[in-house]
């Protein structure tokens, strides 16, 4: 790679896109070309040329290179090979001598698509940022991608939400007569200690459901719910019948 003095990142919202546009305008005027004439030669629309010159639009690599080949002296634009940021593939950049400053400038075209106006630098992970955090930040900066992801996520989680709704409905409904009868049959053979513990557990659940429980009580109730949810009750046939 040749020694360069400056690097222009030509992507939406980047200073390099603005400097590229200023260069295109300067070279166009030096060649005494109108915007319409340059647009025709470059096979671009007049609006695109104006947007590029004003720094409101970053050209794609193909469009940017075509413009410079039309405006710079023949052979002035050189290809430069470099590794991508992930080190997995060769990236092609371009360099030239800035006619105003005489410095060698490296052009890095990073527009996602032709005319991309989104800042390319937001895609770069920030210091101390995980890949997941970078993905979420980038996703939330792109309304279209965010909407697509939300739709996909909603489709995937809909069955789970439906199951949770059924569970909430079941938890809010009074116990059935059959369930009440099963519990009563078990209580008939429960000793005093177990009965006292059960009473304490019912009192704890009542405080949680009536929103009077403290943080520790809620944590304890959650642990008890998890423990009991994983326990398989004995079949009803195992419950001894009582005689009056």
């Amino acid at each position: 790679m040749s020694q360069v003095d400056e690097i222009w990142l030509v992507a939406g919202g980047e200073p390099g896109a603005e400097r590229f546009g200023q260069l295109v305008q300067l070279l166009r005027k030096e060649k005494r070309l109108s915007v319409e004439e340059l647009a025709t030669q470059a096979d671009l629309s007049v609006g695109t040329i104006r947007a590029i010159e004003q720094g409101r639009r970053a050209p794609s690599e193909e469009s940017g290179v075509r413009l410079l080949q039309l405006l710079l002296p023949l052979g002035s634009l050189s290809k430069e090979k470099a590794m991508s940021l992930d080190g997995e593939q060769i990236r092609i950049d371009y360099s030239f001598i800035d006619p105003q400053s005489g410095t060698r400038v490296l052009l890095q075209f990073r527009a996602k698509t032709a005319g991309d106006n989104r800042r390319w630098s937001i895609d770069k992970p920030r210091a101390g940022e995980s890949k997941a955090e970078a993905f979420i930040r980038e996703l939330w900066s792109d309304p279209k991608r965010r909407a697509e992801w939300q739709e996909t996520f909603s489709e995937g989680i809909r069955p789970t939400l439906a199951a949770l709704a059924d569970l909430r409905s079941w938890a809010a409904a009074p116990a059935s007569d059959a369930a009440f009868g099963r519990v009563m049959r078990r209580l008939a053979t429960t000793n005093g200690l177990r009965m006292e513990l059960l009473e304490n557990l019912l009192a704890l659940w009542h405080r949680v459901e009536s929103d009077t429980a403290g943080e520790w009580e809620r944590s304890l109730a959650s642990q008890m719910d998890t423990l009991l949810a994983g326990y398989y009750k004995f079949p009803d046939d195992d419950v001894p019948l009582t005689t009056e």
Side-chain angles (χ1 to χ4, degrees):
M1 180 176 176
S2 305
Q3 182 66 36
V4 297
D5 302 302
E6 295 183 63
I7 297 178
W8 294 2
L9 178 58
V10 184
E14 299 292 341
E18 184 176 350
R19 298 186 69 178
F20 181 85
Q22 292 170 351
L23 174 67
V24 169
Q25 185 179 65
L26 173 68
L27 296 175
R28 175 180 63 79
K29 290 181 177 180
E30 285 182 350
K31 285 184 170 289
R32 299 184 181 278
L33 292 172
S34 67
V35 172
E36 290 76 12
E37 289 172 330
L38 179 59
T40 299
Q41 293 182 25
D43 194 24
L44 295 170
S45 69
V46 171
T48 295
I49 296 296
R50 289 197 174 114
I52 290 174
E53 289 189 349
Q54 295 167 10
R56 295 185 291 106
R57 177 171 296 179
S60 66
E61 179 180 330
E62 180 182 356
S63 298
V65 169
R66 191 161 63 245
L67 284 170
L68 292 181
Q69 288 175 336
L70 289 169
L71 297 171
L72 287 171
L74 185 64
S76 299
L77 194 63
S78 303
K79 285 186 178 182
E80 305 286 350
K81 292 184 179 181
M83 293 297 295
S84 62
L85 291 176
D86 55 16
E88 295 182 354
Q89 59 185 356
I90 298 296
R91 184 186 67 215
I92 301 298
D93 294 325
Y94 298 84
S95 66
F96 70 100
I97 301 297
D98 186 350
Q100 284 187 300
S101 63
T103 58
R104 177 167 288 279
V105 176
L106 181 70
L107 292 170
Q108 296 181 334
F109 292 99
R110 296 295 182 271
K112 306 299 180 184
T113 57
D116 183 15
N117 289 314
R118 187 164 59 91
R119 286 188 70 89
W120 181 81
S121 59
I122 67 171
D123 297 344
K124 299 179 180 179
R126 296 172 180 171
E129 186 178 56
S130 67
K131 290 183 178 180
E133 290 169 333
F135 169 77
I136 293 173
R137 174 171 52 78
E138 180 185 351
L139 182 68
W140 245 243
S141 69
D142 188 332
K144 183 178 179 180
R145 284 187 61 198
R146 183 171 70 245
E148 292 174 349
W149 182 86
Q150 287 174 328
E151 182 178 355
T152 302
F153 178 78
S154 297
E155 287 293 330
I157 201 174
R158 188 170 288 121
T160 301
L161 294 177
L164 289 175
D166 292 341
L167 181 60
R168 284 197 298 268
S169 177
W170 178 58
S176 66
D177 291 342
F180 187 78
R182 289 195 299 270
V183 171
M184 291 304 295
R185 289 198 297 274
R186 294 184 186 279
L187 290 178
T189 59
T190 300
N191 61 44
L193 176 61
R194 299 299 184 193
M195 189 69 74
E196 183 177 350
L197 292 175
L198 179 58
E199 184 178 2
N200 290 340
L201 180 57
L202 291 172
L204 175 62
W205 279 337
H206 175 73
R207 287 179 58 80
V208 171
E209 292 169 359
S210 62
D211 203 25
T212 58
E215 183 177 348
W216 178 80
E217 290 174 310
R218 291 183 180 278
S219 176
L220 180 61
S222 177
Q223 293 177 44
M224 290 300 302
D225 289 344
T226 301
L227 177 64
L228 295 173
Y231 177 75
Y232 293 94
K233 63 180 182 296
F234 292 109
D236 285 344
D237 293 343
D238 292 344
V239 180
L241 296 176
T242 58
T243 57
E244 295 182 357

